[in-house]
């Protein structure tokens, strides 16, 4: 099951000018307006990767039509050229095949999330659809350097609810059924011989079972069970195939990294933190050795396990300010690509030479951010009304005191993810317009251990929402926020939280902005995509049971409390959203209009769960900016002309 289920992302000029005249005089000390084009447009270059032999660098960048493509450059030359030729919806995810001759990228149709894998030949630019099946969602299982022309992929061809495993020949495109999914398998793991020898399957109570087999001819054997209140998963096999690396929160509060000896069943702890869950691993592609494990606290921290890379992590940690991650390396392990994430600037990418221990700047993803007066993101925490410690982040405008400001509570999606430190285009946009921005990791957010995660069970519109309101009270008590000028905004679960805010706590907020948020938990759970059927039990455990307790779910659904709404609402929705269907927005819009409640609604006809096309992002955030200024009094950049957006203002 995808833990990011609910995650996510024209008015005449004279109106905007009138708004500007009403702005508090203190806004005169703010830095110049930063163009939305810079904040929400495409990156200039991002996601660099090395070919396995280290001869080529690839990255994502816009083409002459401003559509994101994969580009390639020979290392040491300036021969950059575009590899792909997508016409409309840019490429956001790709990787190198280990044969060094093909780059594979993912693409869906207008946000429907039925992803296909496409392989492009780096010499001829010829593209082959490796998963050419209509209405099928393909997902990655494994690549292996020792099997450079093969790929293991999950596809729900036979049954839309289940992904079977297929072995695909990258040269011919031929696909062969490798493993039929007979038991709600959600993860498959290949061993060093590129055979699937471990699976994770969901159970009817919302938990999961980890199974292994000695060879592909042997029966499956259960080696670990997790109940619905524990987290667990498989990472991969050791180089000799005798140890299976897993993550799990069993016998601990936070998710740890463990190794299971497959002969004895004994588990050994590899990395752990008492409070924070494992948050990323650095694994050697040939040796299959876990070399470092990340734990995301207020910021990302690394536990280095392999002493041979300790001097490298030491060297790259000193290159510049910000969180660092090794994003790629060649198979010889001589060259690394390192990213540096900052809160008040772009992400910088460097090449790092392990022999000389020297780093060299490759590029930043958004050079136009350099030199701008961007706000810093400050980690904060407060106690909830029932004494839980709630962590989050505060961003306040540059140049003016953080006192009595109009404020936006910006709620993350998921809900089973978390906000983290670093550059956030929405937070920077809002701070630049004069707003304080509060981002809260309410209970049910991941990363803080299972006690905190499970405290969110059955608390949609309950204690999860109380945590948000406690955050509003905290920021008001600090003197930072003007209580009468607080808006709530978010995407996906954050959109739901916005609707809850306006219906369950109607006197707290001055306005709300909902992006692809569900309004009715009954219709939401009836309409989840078929390929998430294996996760239904977990939804029932964490949200509520559709079959057994419809009244409870109704009591937590904003749609049925529209009469309580007192303030204006803006809704943005993608027409092809497979997670939160168009009907989720349209039914609350219809109910509000029937009750004469103020609502603005924009439908994007070529989007899904969030806004991928820059034209649509620019249009929606222009409308949101005008909307927030009208009710909170922040600054406005005129909307201007935004060609190519698909937004229908209803």
């Amino acid at each position: 099951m995808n833990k990011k289920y609910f995650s996510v992302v024209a008015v005449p000029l004279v109106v905007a000018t009138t708004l500007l005249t009403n702005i508090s005089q203190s806004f005169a000390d703010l830095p110049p307006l930063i163009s939305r084009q810079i904040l929400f447009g495409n990156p200039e270059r991002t996601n660099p990767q090395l070919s396995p032999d280290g001869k080529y660098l690839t990255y994502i960048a816009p083409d002459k039509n401003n559509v994101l493509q994969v580009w390639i450059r020979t290392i040491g030359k300036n021969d950059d050229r575009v590899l792909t030729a997508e016409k409309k919806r840019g490429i956001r995810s790709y990787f190198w095949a280990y044969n060094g001759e093909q780059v594979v990228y993912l693409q869906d149709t207008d946000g429907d999330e039925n992803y296909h894998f496409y392989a492009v030949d780096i010499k001829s630019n010829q593209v082959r659809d490796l998963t050419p099946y209509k209405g099928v969602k393909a997902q990655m299982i494994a690549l292996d350097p020792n099997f450079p022309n093969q790929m293991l992929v999950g596809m729900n061809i036979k049954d839309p609810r289940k992904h079977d495993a297929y072995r695909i020949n990258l040269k011919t495109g031929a696909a062969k059924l490798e493993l039929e999914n007979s038991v709600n398998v959600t993860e498959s793991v290949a061993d060093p011989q590129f055979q699937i020898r471990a699976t994770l399957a969901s159970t009817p109570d919302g938990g999961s079972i980890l199974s292994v087999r000695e060879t592909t001819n042997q029966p499956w054997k259960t080696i670990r069970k997790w109940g619905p209140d524990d987290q667990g998963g498989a990472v991969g096999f050791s180089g000799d195939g005798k140890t299976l690396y897993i993550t799990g929160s069993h016998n601990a509060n936070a998710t740890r990294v463990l190794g299971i000896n497959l002969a004895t069943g004994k588990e050994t702890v590899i990395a752990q933190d008492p409070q924070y869950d494992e948050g990323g691993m650095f694994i050697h592609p040939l040796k299959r050795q876990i070399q470092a494990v990340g734990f995301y606290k207020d910021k990302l921290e690394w536990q280095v396990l392999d002493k041979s890379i300790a001097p490298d992590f030491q060297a790259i940690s000193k290159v510049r300010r910000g969180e660092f991650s090794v994003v790629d390396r060649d198979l010889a392990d001589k060259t690394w690509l390192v990213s540096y994430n900052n809160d008040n600037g772009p992400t910088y990418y460097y090449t790092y030479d392990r022999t000389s221990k020297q780093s060299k700047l490759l590029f930043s993803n958004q050079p136009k951010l350099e030199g701008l007066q961007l706000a810093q993101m400050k980690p904060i925490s407060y106690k909830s009304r029932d004494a839980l410690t709630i962590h989050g982040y505060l961003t306040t405008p540059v140049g003016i005191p953080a006192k009595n400001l109009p404020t936006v509570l910006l709620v993350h999606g998921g809900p089973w993810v978390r906000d983290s430190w670093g550059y956030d285009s929405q937070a920077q946009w809002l701070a630049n317009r004069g707003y304080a921005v509060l981002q809260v990791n309410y209970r049910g957010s991941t990363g803080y251990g299972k006690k905190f995660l499970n405290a969110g069970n059955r608390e949609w519109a309950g204690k999860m929402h109380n945590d948000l309101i406690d955050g509003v009270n905290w920021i008001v008590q600090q003197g930072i926020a003007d209580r009468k000028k607080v808006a709530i905004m978010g995407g996906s679960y954050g959109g739901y939280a916005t609707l809850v805010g306006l219906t369950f706590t109607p006197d707290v907020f001055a306005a709300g902005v909902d992006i692809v948020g569900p309004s009715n938990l009954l219709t939401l759970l009836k309409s989840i995509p078929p390929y998430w059927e294996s996760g239904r039990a977990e939804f029932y455990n964490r949200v509520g049971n559709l079959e057994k307790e419809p009244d409870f779910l109704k009591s937590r659904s904003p749609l049925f409390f529209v009469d309580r709404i007192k303030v204006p609402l803006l809704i943005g929705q993608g027409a092809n959203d497979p997670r939160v269907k168009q009907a989720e927005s349209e039914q609350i819009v219809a109910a509000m209009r029937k009750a004469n409640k103020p609502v603005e609604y924009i439908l994007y006809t070529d989007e899904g769960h969030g806004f991928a096309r820059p034209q649509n992002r620019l249009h929606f955030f222009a409308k949101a900016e005008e909307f927030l200024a009208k009710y909170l009094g922040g600054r406005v950049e005129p909307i201007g002309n935004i060609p190519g957006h698909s937004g229908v203002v209803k």
Side-chain angles (χ1 to χ4, degrees):
M1 174 191 154
N2 186 337
K3 296 291 182 196
K4 299 180 180 178
Y5 184 82
F6 300 113
S7 296
V8 205
V9 234
V11 179
L13 177 57
V14 67
V15 176
T17 314
T18 314
L19 290 167
L20 285 167
T21 60
N22 299 327
I23 289 170
S24 151
Q25 191 52 50
S26 68
F27 280 12
D29 297 325
L30 286 169
L33 276 176
I34 299 170
S35 156
R36 284 186 301 270
Q37 183 68 51
I38 292 175
L39 294 164
F40 298 116
N42 277 330
E44 239 173 76
R45 281 182 290 192
T46 191
N47 194 0
Q49 295 184 32
L50 288 168
S51 60
D53 58 11
K55 287 181 183 174
Y56 299 101
L57 174 84
T58 44
Y59 55 89
I60 287 176
D63 63 12
K64 62 181 191 296
N65 298 316
N66 198 29
V67 177
L68 292 176
Q69 310 286 3
V70 181
W71 292 65
I72 189 165
R73 165 200 303 177
T74 311
I75 301 281
K77 294 185 182 177
N78 291 320
D79 58 355
D80 302 46
R81 61 186 175 87
V82 68
L83 260 186
T84 56
E86 285 293 302
K87 295 289 181 277
K88 180 182 176 186
R89 198 172 174 81
I91 295 168
R92 285 160 291 157
S93 180
Y94 80 98
F95 52 87
W96 274 90
Y98 279 116
N99 59 31
E101 298 166 13
Q102 293 168 296
V103 167
V104 181
Y105 66 91
L106 281 81
Q107 189 60 282
D108 68 351
T109 303
D110 288 343
D112 67 1
E113 295 188 22
N114 286 328
Y115 287 101
H116 288 221
F117 286 99
Y118 295 89
V120 57
D121 185 286
I122 65 165
K123 294 283 197 291
S124 68
N125 285 35
Q126 266 195 305
V127 175
R128 181 197 295 277
D129 186 350
L130 297 170
T131 56
Y133 309 100
K134 194 172 164 65
V136 165
K137 179 190 176 83
Q139 54 192 38
M140 173 56 86
I141 294 175
L143 291 169
D144 193 291
N146 296 317
F147 299 83
N149 291 312
Q150 295 178 27
M151 189 165 106
L152 290 171
V153 170
M155 289 190 282
N156 54 344
I157 296 172
K158 293 181 173 181
D159 183 338
R161 297 168 301 177
K162 295 179 178 180
H163 282 74
D164 300 314
Y166 291 82
R167 187 177 295 266
I168 294 178
N169 185 310
L170 291 169
K171 292 297 190 182
T172 66
K176 177 177 152 246
L177 181 65
E178 186 80 7
L179 181 67
E180 196 159 340
N181 185 350
S182 56
V183 287
N184 281 335
V185 168
T186 55
E187 287 177 35
S188 299
V189 184
D191 69 3
Q193 281 70 50
F194 213 43
Q195 302 292 328
I196 294 174
R197 273 186 51 224
T199 61
L200 188 75
S202 61
T203 54
D205 65 350
S208 52
I209 287 178
L210 181 65
S211 304
V212 295
R213 54 184 178 178
E214 281 183 41
T215 70
T216 54
N217 301 320
Q218 304 278 100
W220 291 96
K221 180 172 75 172
T222 298
I223 58 166
R224 160 65 53 200
K225 285 185 181 178
W226 288 283
D229 290 339
D230 267 310
Q231 300 294 295
V235 177
F237 286 87
S238 59
D240 60 9
K242 293 178 180 177
T243 301
L244 180 66
Y245 300 122
I246 66 166
T247 58
S249 62
H250 55 283
N251 306 325
N253 174 52
T255 300
R256 306 179 292 175
V257 182
L258 307 139
I260 302 180
N261 181 314
L262 295 175
T264 65
K266 188 182 176 212
E267 292 184 0
T268 306
V269 177
I270 293 169
Q272 64 181 334
D273 184 276
Q275 184 182 348
Y276 295 92
D277 298 321
E278 167 275 322
M281 286 177 231
F282 186 54
I283 303 174
H284 196 288
L286 291 172
K287 296 177 185 172
R288 293 174 158 260
Q289 173 191 5
I290 300 175
Q291 296 179 288
V293 176
F295 291 89
Y296 212 106
K297 303 183 180 183
D298 283 342
K299 297 179 184 176
L300 178 63
E301 296 180 18
W302 288 101
Q303 279 187 25
V304 177
L305 309 175
D306 177 3
K307 288 178 183 168
S308 75
I309 65 162
D312 301 303
F313 270 54
Q314 189 72 26
I316 60 182
S317 70
K318 294 174 177 170
V319 171
R320 67 177 310 130
R321 175 182 179 264
E323 296 173 347
F324 72 86
S325 293
V326 182
V327 295
D328 201 17
R329 53 179 161 186
D330 58 8
L331 281 180
D333 209 20
K334 289 182 178 171
T335 305
W336 289 359
L337 295 182
V338 184
S339 70
Y340 294 85
N341 177 38
N342 288 286
D343 57 346
N344 62 348
T347 299
Y348 290 89
Y349 295 98
Y350 283 73
T351 54
Y352 169 72
D353 184 305
R354 290 195 69 209
T355 307
S356 67
K357 304 278 186 281
Q358 294 300 304
S359 294
K360 186 180 171 189
L361 177 64
L362 199 54
F363 50 71
S364 80
N365 67 336
Q366 292 170 289
K368 286 176 182 164
L369 291 175
E370 294 168 24
L372 296 179
Q373 294 182 61
L374 294 167
Q376 291 196 327
M377 183 185 271
K378 192 174 115 187
I380 58 101
S381 65
Y382 57 87
K383 289 283 187 189
S384 69
R385 62 191 74 178
D386 59 351
L388 265 188
T389 300
I390 308 295
H391 294 271
Y393 299 91
L394 174 67
T395 306
T396 55
V398 175
I400 61 173
K403 289 181 182 169
N404 208 34
L405 292 168
T407 297
V408 176
L409 175 65
L410 190 58
V411 187
H412 72 70
W416 308 298
V417 292
R418 60 162 285 176
D419 276 320
S420 52
W421 181 87
Y423 176 81
D424 183 311
S425 56
Q426 289 187 47
Q428 292 295 343
W429 161 64
L430 291 165
N432 180 259
R433 273 41 175 178
Y435 305 111
V437 185
L438 180 63
Q439 294 170 279
V440 172
N441 285 323
Y442 47 83
R443 73 190 69 201
S445 301
T446 53
Y448 298 95
K450 69 184 178 191
K451 186 181 174 190
F452 190 81
L453 173 66
N454 295 331
N457 288 356
R458 301 174 60 78
E459 293 296 346
W460 287 40
K463 290 177 183 174
M464 288 164 76
H465 188 64
N466 290 348
D467 293 345
L468 297 176
I469 301 304
D470 293 347
V472 172
N473 292 334
W474 173 84
I475 197 172
V476 169
Q477 285 157 12
Q478 300 295 308
I480 296 166
D482 177 346
R483 186 174 281 285
K484 292 178 182 171
K485 291 186 177 180
V486 181
I488 182 168
M489 175 175 178
S492 202
Y493 177 87
Y496 166 82
T498 296
L499 300 178
V500 170
L502 269 53
T503 50
F504 286 69
T505 49
D507 297 314
V508 174
F509 299 104
V513 179
D514 154 31
I515 305 167
V516 299
S519 63
N520 179 353
L521 298 183
L522 296 162
T523 51
L524 176 77
L525 290 173
K526 281 176 187 168
S527 66
I528 62 171
Y531 44 81
W532 275 336
E533 197 57 41
S534 60
R536 185 176 287 278
E538 187 174 355
F539 273 113
Y540 284 9
N541 179 55
R542 294 200 182 279
V543 185
N545 191 307
L546 181 62
E547 272 85 44
K548 294 180 180 173
E549 43 191 0
D551 289 345
F552 171 72
L553 290 168
K554 189 175 179 181
S555 76
R556 300 296 175 91
S557 298
L559 177 66
F560 302 104
F561 304 97
V562 160
D563 58 308
R564 299 179 184 172
I565 295 176
K566 297 180 178 178
V567 299
L569 173 66
L570 170 66
I571 296 178
Q573 174 71 40
N576 306 311
D577 191 338
R579 310 182 189 204
V580 178
K581 300 282 198 294
Q582 185 177 328
E584 290 298 320
S585 289
E586 305 222 324
Q587 60 194 356
I588 197 163
V589 169
M592 286 183 70
R593 291 201 170 139
K594 190 175 177 186
N596 289 319
K597 303 288 182 178
V599 61
E600 297 175 40
Y601 175 47
I602 309 170
L603 179 71
Y604 293 88
T605 58
D606 57 359
E607 290 287 7
H609 197 61
F611 310 136
R613 294 182 60 238
Q615 298 91 332
N616 294 332
R617 286 197 301 275
L618 289 166
H619 182 261
F620 182 78
F621 288 112
K623 301 296 277 186
E625 184 172 310
E626 203 170 64
F627 176 85
L628 290 169
K630 191 173 177 183
Y631 301 108
L632 297 188
R635 300 196 297 176
V636 180
E637 176 193 0
I639 285 186
N641 184 32
I642 306 169
H645 75 81
S646 71
V648 179
V649 181
K650 293 200 165 191

